[in-house]
Amino acid sequence: MSENVQAATLSQVRSQVKKKKRKELWQKIYSNKAALAGLIILSIYALMLIFGPLLSPYDPYEIDLQNKLQGPTLDHLMGTDDKGRDILSRILYGSYLTLGVGFSAVLFGGSVGILLGLVAGYYGGKIDSIISRLIDVMLAFPGILLALAIVSALGTSLINVTIAVGFFSIPMFARIVRGSTMEVKKLEYIDAVRTLGANNVIILFRHILPNILSPIIIQASMRLATAILSAAGLSFLGLGAQPPSPEWGAMLSAGRDFLFNAPHMALFPGIMISFLVLGLNLLGDGLRDALDPRMKA
Amino acid sequence: MGEVQPILEVTNLKQYFYLKKEKLFGEKQIVRAVDDISFQLYEGETLSIVGESGCGKSTTGRSILRLDEPTDGSISLFGENLLEMTQKQLRVARKDIQIIFQDPYASLNPRRTIRQMLTEAMSIQDVVPKEKQEARMIELMQLVGLQPEYLERYPHEFSGGQRQRIGIARALSVNPKIIICDESVSALDVSIQAQILNLLKKLQKELGLTLLFISHDLSVVRHISDRVIVMYLGKIVEIANKKSLFDTPVHPYTRALFSAIPTVEKGQKRERIILKGDVPSPLNPPSGCRFHTRCPFATEQCKQQEPQLVEVKDGHKTACHYWENFL
């Protein structure tokens, strides 16, 4: 009888504690002004991503040569480009391209890199030597050059840009994860779960990975920003998204030719990219502080 | 105790660590952390291993659990050699031997609540059916003297002593037969040490546990042990039951150690044996008896010939050529 009562109060305590933890996380982010700013910026981008096509006043592909190269007006809030297309609509439509490329690239590079880093750091020995040398080789190439080489080998398309940008993120993740893994695997709580009979998969993914999340989160937010910049850069060079596509880098590239008579054409996509990168960096830093239970004051 | 089968038997255990070569064609350097030791652990007893830091006592504990892969020897648990098991068999066998570590701050995963730790331990070894886990967790918490409400907390919310209790609860959650306490109380302050030691004693009595207690602290060892092993530089120098060892230590090293225990008794003048120099490096241990470089009674024979463990009187063994002189 008393055991049941105890179990009931215990589950109450449990749900209370869970609620409290969630509240604490929000308070943590909320009290960190920089992280909050990052969160707000990214929320705006997220809204744009979801509602962009609904909100855009014009068809992003509709050519209207009579109204070409117009500066910002009430009709066209961000002006029009060299073919008279509404830049605001194009930016709204293009958000999913730019964000999508960035996220997929980091997801791809991150998962491969984390896996390689975990395996290298945990098993050590020959496996570590092989993986580490591979990473060194990849790091020897300047990132954007490697991406250029991959895109020119695979052909120009946005998907190939994603693969290329993701590929050169692999060594960064692998290196950081390897180092942190080697540090954490020596700790006594890893020995403790091993004595309990846990297998390597449990040790790696349940005990090591959660404890090295902080550097991964920071790295991911930074890489996301870099990935978006690199993807935009490749599109700017004409290797990524192709002309009619409203990818922001490609729009920036198109605006380059009209910098003197219609600077708004390059300005607005540029601002969008910069704020996105800023927001990502701010939130990444804030999350690191909020997610680490040891850093609670 | 003579005819009883030991539950854990360590035979000729060697644990060498190979260092990286310093020069390209240099010789590989070997640290002989544990060099050919044998002992038995009997059910229900508390066996302590004492020695200076670096003598290989912790390494012995880790080797038994195969946390470091031993170089040679055999460790048999209920007659089965742990060192010959595959990883899979070992994972199951590990249920019977658990360890409580020295540093309560490093031995708990900071990202997991106490509930998660205990649930995981029980699920890995499948000792308690799912629906009974909750009750078992409450029972475990009470057993180690913690409130069941603490289950939802993270390790950083506890003090050192409480963390050590959590470590004990985790070890107990899989119903082990043997618990290795690797300097389990040395990181705690004295009043908490006593609490944890008494808790361990109580648990041992209630659950019929066998303890292998590794410590450098002689007063702690005296408080908790039934039998004591004294180690020096990777070798066992003396094994005896507590009374026999503390009353009549035979080996010069043991006697030196014991003469260093402070006493509060008035007027008792004890002969104090002061050892010269430091413990030699286990990289090139001295020839013959490893203690000869610091032993006040060393002779030429000690430098040449390694003494074997010989029985002094029932169960009291020592490794010294001249033990008869010290009785």
Side-chain angles (χ1 to χ4, degrees), chain A:
Chain A
M1 260 321 261
S2 69
E3 225 166 64
N4 279 339
V5 174
Q6 202 165 26
T9 48
L10 208 56
S11 73
Q12 261 175 10
V13 172
R14 195 179 174 189
S15 67
Q16 274 170 8
V17 169
K18 270 192 178 163
K19 250 184 228 158
K20 200 179 113 207
K21 294 237 157 86
R22 214 169 301 146
K23 213 171 134 195
E24 269 173 15
L25 178 67
W26 279 111
Q27 270 173 354
K28 205 87 196 183
I29 295 180
Y30 190 77
S31 63
N32 183 340
K33 293 287 172 274
L36 189 66
L39 192 68
I40 292 172
I41 293 175
L42 290 183
S43 321
I44 295 171
Y45 277 89
L47 288 176
M48 232 169 69
L49 192 67
I50 301 165
F51 298 110
L54 292 174
L55 291 173
S56 64
Y58 298 91
D59 179 346
Y61 299 105
E62 194 188 85
I63 291 174
D64 178 6
L65 289 174
Q66 281 180 332
N67 286 322
K68 70 175 184 180
L69 295 175
Q70 277 188 2
T73 59
L74 276 181
D75 277 350
H76 300 279
L77 284 176
M78 289 185 182
T80 61
D81 68 3
D82 57 322
K83 300 201 171 58
R85 294 172 294 204
D86 180 49
I87 291 181
L88 177 62
S89 305
R90 286 174 66 70
I91 281 179
L92 288 172
Y93 265 92
S95 57
Y96 82 94
L97 289 172
T98 303
L99 284 164
V101 170
F103 274 100
S104 332
V106 170
L107 204 65
F108 165 63
S111 24
V112 178
I114 289 169
L115 206 64
L116 284 177
L118 277 176
V119 169
Y122 185 65
Y123 290 100
K126 286 211 177 70
I127 300 175
D128 180 29
S129 304
I130 293 170
I131 293 177
S132 296
R133 292 299 84 73
L134 261 169
I135 291 169
D136 287 346
V137 169
M138 286 171 76
L139 275 176
F141 288 97
I144 197 83
L145 207 65
L146 186 64
L148 267 175
I150 294 172
V151 174
S152 34
L154 295 176
T156 54
S157 83
L158 216 48
I159 291 179
N160 291 342
V161 166
T162 312
I163 295 174
V165 173
F167 194 75
F168 82 69
S169 304
I170 292 176
M172 320 288 177
F173 279 102
R175 236 191 194 187
I176 281 172
V177 171
R178 173 177 171 268
S180 315
T181 305
M182 296 201 320
E183 217 172 90
V184 171
K185 81 166 177 184
K186 275 184 273 173
L187 294 175
E188 283 179 343
Y189 61 82
I190 301 298
D191 281 338
V193 283
R194 189 173 297 140
T195 7
L196 285 169
N199 58 30
N200 291 334
V201 177
I202 291 184
I203 292 174
L204 273 176
F205 291 100
R206 212 189 273 168
H207 295 276
I208 294 182
L209 190 57
N211 279 296
I212 56 173
L213 268 187
S214 309
I216 294 179
I217 288 176
I218 304 162
Q219 182 68 9
S221 71
M222 276 168 18
R223 290 312 302 175
L224 195 54
T226 326
I228 285 170
L229 275 180
S230 317
L234 286 171
S235 293
F236 183 84
L237 293 173
L239 291 168
Q242 293 307 307
S245 155
E247 203 275 330
W248 296 347
M251 288 171 68
L252 196 65
S253 169
R256 180 186 44 172
D257 299 333
F258 305 94
L259 264 186
F260 288 105
N261 40 6
H264 66 273
M265 240 184 100
L267 188 65
F268 287 113
I271 288 176
M272 295 307 288
I273 295 173
S274 322
F275 268 96
L276 180 55
V277 171
L278 178 70
L280 284 168
N281 281 336
L282 288 177
L283 186 72
D285 276 0
L287 270 181
R288 174 196 49 193
D289 299 342
L291 282 179
D292 195 339
R294 278 161 303 185
M295 289 176 70
K296 263 178 206 158

Side-chain angles (χ1 to χ4, degrees), chain A residues 6 10 14 17 21 188-189 191-199 202 206-207 210-211 214 291-294, chain B residues 62 65 91 94 98 101 103 106-112 115 120 124-125 134 138 142 148 152 154 156 170:
Chain A
Q6 202 165 26
L10 208 56
R14 195 179 174 189
V17 169
K21 294 237 157 86
E188 283 179 343
Y189 61 82
D191 281 338
V193 283
R194 189 173 297 140
T195 7
L196 285 169
N199 58 30
I202 291 184
R206 212 189 273 168
H207 295 276
N211 279 296
S214 309
L291 282 179
D292 195 339
R294 278 161 303 185
Chain B
R62 292 178 59 85
L65 289 160
R91 278 202 284 272
R94 273 178 168 158
Q98 287 299 309
F101 290 99
D103 181 359
S107 59
L108 303 173
N109 185 338
R111 290 198 177 265
R112 294 179 76 74
R115 171 185 295 277
E120 175 176 45
I124 288 174
Q125 291 292 357
E134 184 76 30
I138 296 171
Q142 285 164 344
E152 317 306 329
Y154 286 96
H156 70 262
R170 177 178 57 192

